[in-house]
Structure formats: structure tokens, C-alpha cells
């Protein structure tokens, strides 16, 4: 076990690069399993979640080699159709292997997926879609596995009840080589999904987004290898932006594009933070007292749920009362108690909603009276504390709080941030942060 020791109060300053998008890299590995030819993926993030997915592919009979930030994936054939319970418990995207296993082996045994436990994170929408495409899938509570088989996947018209990022991608993968045409309605619209579509089309798939939330997939008999470069991770851009403003510094993020950050940039400007968009990237900087804001998370093109925790941290420094409302996950304010330990003044509340089923993107039956919104009072001087990470983005948010706090903070359970950020502490230190990784 390792921990971060952070002495806050250091202004971050300089130029930073971001890794390839995690939410593309993991799915690209699964896509590579749809063909028996080699797929080369460039600009991969060297994070623990990526290596878990690599281990799964190797265990299934594939071969993955990594050189610097390039992965070569070759799955000539699957030697088995079962993902181990241990591997599946580490990462939620392990369930996506249902698609290539059903497409190529006609059967699969996949454990109920793990990863960060952000509420229930139901897989029911994905399973329902695969069943409509011709798979027989049952879940055994005795062994914790989904048992799936098919005589051949077929195209269907399927409408998601709620927007689902992973569900959309899983059905995209399944439909790419299915017989006939598939229409995915109310499909997720995140730019990472469009990157996956681009990769699949380079491999010979026939996929197009015919409306903002409608995707048409014409199945093909075989996909081939290709070389694909992953774009920058917008979550990392947001993290670095808030780190700069939280510490009253400035950071230029190379290769950051504004086209997928419009909502975030608009909120920064509303809060009075500095943003300068250039051809080579975006400069984020502190330019004076921050104003309070109200944000609601929602599927793309809304304010991303992964930005919620970092934004809450930033709003502890705004002059007034800010509101942060979580609509995507039913339980995503677990970090608040640690932020309060550091001096944050945060008050939970439940929004008044006319139609909760329509308003929230999670299944209401999974809600156990969790907090869905907070009032954040500021500006509040944050101070040092001993705290824990609860998930990837909340963990990064607690690091941001410690960077802006007075004194020396200790953050435990940092393996969670390693799942989503490559060499997080080294990159922050290069910008002037006083942060060290030490063994427990």
C-alpha cells in the first residue's frame, strides 16, 4: 500500500501534456478482439486499468505487447471463453468482452463486473440489448457469472431506457459483425464513443451516427487489423485546469481541445476563472475571486459526472453558495466527508424533482436515499488532514483539495487514482506541487 503526502499552498505553473483517453483505450482493447489480425493502438495511458484489460486478453489466448505508449494486440483465436472472477472484480469494462466472445466463440462466461463501486451501475441495459440480438444470457447467483451463448447475433432496433456509455459501446461491438443492420436509439453521445466508432470503421465496420442519439450499424462478416491513435483524455484536462485555479496558478495544457469541453469551459468562465484557448492547447489560470455556480451532471453534452467531485472542491473557494447536483449516479458524494475534514462547508440536500424517473439517469430502485446534491459554502480556507480516496475522480479531487490547502495532508488508498491517471504525482510535481508517493 502507498499514500500521497502533499504540502499545499504551492502555485502550479508550467506546461503539461495529457495521456490518451482512458475511456477510449480500454474499449479499443476489446474492439481489437473482434479480429484475428493485429491491431496497433497508439498513445495508450499506462494506467493500472489498462494493464488489467491486457491481462484479461492474454488469459483468453491473445497476445498484447506494449512498447512505450503503443500496444500491439493480436487475438488469432480465443483459447477460452471465461473471464476469471478475480479479473472481473477489478474493472467494470471486463463485461464488454461478452461482445467479441459471443461474436467469435458463440459463448461466454463473464463475472458480474467490478471497478469503482459508484452505486449500482446496472448492466441490465446491456444484457437486454444482447438478448434482443440473439444471445441467451442468464445470471447465476451461485457463482457470480453471466452465462451467455448464441447461434449467431443478428441486427435489431434497440432503444436504451437510459443513456449508457458502456452499454452503447458493448452493443456497438456486438453489432459490428452481427447479421443485418442494428439501430441503437437513445444511444450515448460522448466523444469517446465516436472515437470507438472511428476505430471500428478503420477495422472495416460500417457504423454511422445518423442522429445525435441514433447509431446505425450494418454488420460485416469480418474485421481486419489497423493502427489507431487515441486522442487526449478530457478528464485529465479538467483535473489540471482545476489544479491550476485551485492553487491560484496557471497551467497550459498541450493538445487540449475546446470542442469536447464547451460546458466545462463555460462554467469556468461563469465562475470567473481564466481560460485562453490557443491552437496548441488551452491555458487555465487564476485571475481573481471566484463566483458561485450551479451545476447539474448529465450525459453528454452536459456537465460530465466525472467532473462533479473536482468542481465541488473548486467551489469551496467561490465567494458564496454553490450548488452541485448529481443526476447520473445515485451515490457519488462519498468524498464529501473527507472534504469536510479539510475544512469544506458542505450541506447535502435532495433536489425537488417533478419526475425523478425522467430527471435521473440511474435506476430509481437502486437509490437507497443517497444524497443527490450539495450546497457548497465559500470561500473556505482548506487545511491539512488525513483522508482516503473513494474512487478515481473523487480521489483526484481530494488531491486537488490538498494542493490548495494549508499544511501537510496524507491521502491513503491511492491505488484508485492509479487506475485513471498515469504518474499523477510526478506530473503535478513537474508543475511545482509538493507531492510525494511513499509506502505505508
Amino acid at each position: 500500500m502507498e499514500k500521497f503526502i502533499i504540502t499545499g499552498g504551492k502555485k502550479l505553473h508550467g506546461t503539461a501534456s495529457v495521456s490518451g483517453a482512458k475511456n477510449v483505450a480500454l474499449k479499443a482493447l476489446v474492439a481489437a478482439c473482434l479480429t484475428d489480425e493485429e491491431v496497433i493502438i497508439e498513445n495508450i495511458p499506462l494506467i493500472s486499468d489498462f494493464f488489467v484489460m491486457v491481462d484479461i486478453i492474454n488469459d483468453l489466448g491473445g497476445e498484447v505487447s506494449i512498447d512505450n505508449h503503443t500496444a500491439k494486440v493480436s487475438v488469432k483465436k480465443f483459447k477460452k471463453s471465461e473471464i476469471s472472477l478475480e479479473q472481473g472484480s477489478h474493472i467494470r469494462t471486463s463485461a464488454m468482452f461478452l461482445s467479441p466472445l459471443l461474436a467469435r466463440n458463440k459463448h461466454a462466461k463473464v463475472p458480474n463486473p467490478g471497478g469503482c463501486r459508484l452505486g449500482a451501475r446496472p448492466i441490465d441495459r446491456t444484457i437486454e440489448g444482447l438478448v434482443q440480438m440473439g444471445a441467451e444470457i442468464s445470471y447465476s447467483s451461485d457463482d457470480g457469472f453471466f452465462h451467455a451463448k448464441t447461434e449467431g447475433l443478428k441486427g435489431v432496433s434497440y432503444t436504451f431506457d437510459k443513456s449508457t456509455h458502456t452499454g452503447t459501446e458493448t452493443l456497438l461491438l456486438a453489432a459490428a459483425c452481427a447479421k443485418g443492420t442494428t439501430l441503437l436509439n437513445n444511444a450515448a453521445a460522448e466523444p469517446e464513443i465516436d472515437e470507438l466508432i472511428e476505430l471500428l470503421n478503420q477495422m472495416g465496420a460500417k457504423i454511422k451516427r445518423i442522429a445525435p442519439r441514433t447509431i446505425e450499424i450494418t454488420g460485416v462478416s469480418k474485421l481486419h487489423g489497423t493502427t489507431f491513435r487515441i486522442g487526449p483524455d478530457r478528464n485529465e484536462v479538467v483535473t489540471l485546469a482545476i489544479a491550476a485555479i485551485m492553487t491560484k496558478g496557471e497551467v497550459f495544457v498541450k493538445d487540449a481541445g475546446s470542442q469536447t469541453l464547451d460546458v466545462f469551459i463555460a462554467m469556468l468562465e461563469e465562475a470567473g476563472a481564466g481560460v485562453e484557448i490557443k491552437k496548441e492547447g488551452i491555458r487555465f489560470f487564476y485571475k481573481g475571486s471566484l463566483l458561485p455556480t450551479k451545476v447539474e451532471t448529465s450525459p453528454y453534452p452536459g456537465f460530465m459526472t466525472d467532473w462533479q467531485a473536482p468542481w465541488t472542491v473548486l467551489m469551496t473557494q467561490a465567494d458564496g453558495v454553490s450548488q452541485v447536483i448529481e443526476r447520473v449516479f445515485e451515490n457519488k458524494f462519498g468524498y464529501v466527508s473527507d472534504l469536510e475534514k479539510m475544512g469544506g462547508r458542505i450541506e447535502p440536500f435532495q433536489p425537488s424533482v417533478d419526475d425523478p424517473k425522467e430527471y435521473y439517469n440511474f435506476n430509481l430502485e437502486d437509490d437507497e436515499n443517497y444524497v443527490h446534491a450539495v450546497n457548497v459554502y465559500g470561500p473556505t480556507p482548506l487545511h491539512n488532514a488525513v483522508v482516503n480516496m473513494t474512487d478515481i475522480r473523487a480521489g483526484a479531487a481530494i488531491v486537488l483539495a490538498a494542493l490548495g490547502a494549508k499544511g501537510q495532508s496524507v491521502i491513503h488508498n491511492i491505488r484508485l487514482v492509479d487506475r485513471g491517471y498515469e504518474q499523477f504525482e510526478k506530473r503535478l510535481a513537474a508543475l511545482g506541487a509538493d507531492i510525494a508517493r511513499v509506502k505505508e
Side-chain angles (χ1 to χ4, degrees):
M1 298 295 290
E2 296 177 313
K3 60 187 177 184
F4 284 150
I5 297 179
I6 300 173
T7 301
K10 310 290 185 182
K11 292 184 179 182
L12 298 196
H13 184 276
T15 298
S17 299
V18 294
S19 303
K22 171 194 172 183
N23 286 335
V24 178
L26 304 187
K27 318 319 174 42
L29 285 175
V30 184
C33 295
L34 285 170
T35 177
D36 58 6
E37 298 181 16
E38 183 179 74
V39 175
I40 299 173
I41 310 168
E42 299 176 338
N43 197 34
I44 60 170
L46 300 179
I47 54 177
S48 60
D49 272 9
F50 189 86
F51 290 109
V52 171
M53 295 291 281
V54 166
D55 288 342
I56 291 174
I57 293 174
N58 286 333
D59 191 49
L60 290 173
E63 295 181 1
V64 184
S65 62
I66 297 174
D67 181 14
N68 195 6
H69 288 79
T70 296
K72 295 182 178 180
V73 186
S74 178
V75 187
K76 295 187 181 301
K77 66 176 182 178
F78 287 117
K79 295 180 180 178
K80 56 189 287 191
S81 294
E82 178 180 336
I83 294 173
S84 75
L85 191 63
E86 180 182 2
Q87 289 171 324
S89 69
H90 290 311
I91 188 165
R92 182 165 180 78
T93 45
S94 60
M96 292 184 67
F97 284 101
L98 278 167
S99 292
L101 286 170
L102 286 173
R104 294 181 63 183
N105 270 24
K106 308 301 183 187
H107 57 94
K109 186 178 177 183
V110 177
N112 201 8
C116 289
R117 291 297 181 182
L118 303 177
R121 306 193 78 174
I123 194 176
D124 56 330
R125 303 162 198 168
T126 304
I127 298 299
E128 181 183 306
L130 289 172
V131 168
Q132 287 197 24
M133 294 181 69
E136 295 180 25
I137 304 177
S138 61
Y139 178 72
S140 171
S141 57
D142 293 333
D143 62 12
F145 280 82
F146 287 96
H147 299 256
K149 62 181 180 179
T150 184
E151 294 182 1
L153 297 176
K154 64 182 187 299
V156 295
S157 179
Y158 179 72
T159 300
F160 291 100
D161 179 51
K162 298 280 188 178
S163 181
T164 165
H165 194 298
T166 304
T168 297
E169 292 167 320
T170 304
L171 295 194
L172 272 176
L173 295 169
C177 293
K179 185 177 181 179
T181 298
T182 297
L183 276 179
L184 298 181
N185 305 299
N186 195 30
E190 280 75 7
E192 291 85 359
I193 292 175
D194 288 334
E195 276 199 63
L196 179 62
I197 291 173
E198 182 183 352
L199 166 59
L200 289 168
N201 284 339
Q202 282 189 203
M203 294 171 64
K206 295 180 180 179
I207 306 173
K208 56 184 177 180
R209 193 182 286 275
I210 60 176
R213 293 195 175 274
T214 304
I215 302 173
E216 181 183 83
I217 309 104
T218 301
V220 298
S221 60
K222 183 177 176 61
L223 296 178
H224 56 72
T226 192
T227 298
F228 183 77
R229 183 172 181 83
I230 296 170
D233 193 316
R234 59 194 175 120
N235 286 325
E236 283 198 11
V237 177
V238 168
T239 302
L240 291 170
I242 293 181
I245 299 161
M246 191 71 192
T247 62
K248 299 183 178 179
E250 67 170 281
V251 173
F252 179 75
V253 184
K254 292 191 297 185
D255 299 324
S258 63
Q259 65 275 15
T260 58
L261 296 168
D262 289 343
V263 173
F264 174 71
I265 289 173
M267 292 307 305
L268 278 183
E269 293 176 336
E270 182 178 325
V275 180
E276 183 183 6
I277 300 174
K278 299 183 178 182
K279 183 179 179 180
E280 301 82 9
I282 305 176
R283 173 175 166 254
F284 300 98
F285 58 98
Y286 180 82
K287 65 177 186 179
S289 298
L290 298 175
L291 300 173
T293 62
K294 177 182 178 180
V295 300
E296 297 183 12
T297 67
S298 63
Y300 188 84
F303 193 91
M304 195 172 179
T305 185
D306 284 346
W307 305 339
Q308 180 252 98
W311 191 262
T312 300
V313 170
L314 183 63
M315 288 300 98
T316 65
Q317 304 308 300
D319 188 6
V321 182
S322 298
Q323 283 191 357
V324 180
I325 301 174
E326 176 60 49
R327 296 172 55 193
V328 177
F329 289 116
E330 75 276 12
N331 181 22
K332 208 174 181 184
F333 283 106
Y335 64 91
V336 164
S337 59
D338 279 334
L339 191 52
E340 289 176 323
K341 285 182 186 178
M342 303 179 75
R345 294 174 56 217
I346 302 171
E347 177 186 59
F349 73 95
Q350 296 294 12
S352 178
V353 179
D354 292 334
D355 187 353
K357 185 176 181 180
E358 179 68 23
Y359 184 74
Y360 292 112
N361 198 60
F362 52 80
N363 293 339
L364 293 180
E365 57 268 28
D366 295 324
D367 182 19
E368 300 178 9
N369 295 317
Y370 294 117
V371 173
H372 301 144
V374 293
N375 286 321
V376 185
Y377 297 86
T380 304
L382 299 180
H383 56 73
N384 58 322
V386 178
V387 293
N388 285 284
M389 292 186 176
T390 57
D391 65 72
I392 299 172
R393 307 304 170 188
I398 291 299
V399 170
L400 298 178
L403 292 175
K406 292 182 179 180
Q408 186 179 88
S409 295
V410 178
I411 304 178
H412 296 282
N413 205 24
I414 64 173
R415 63 178 180 80
L416 289 174
V417 84
D418 290 338
R419 293 184 53 205
Y421 295 86
E422 179 182 338
Q423 296 186 333
F424 193 38
E425 77 283 3
K426 292 182 180 179
R427 293 158 67 196
L428 290 171
L431 296 169
D434 188 339
I435 178 173
R437 177 188 293 260
V438 299
K439 291 185 177 181
E440 297 277 12

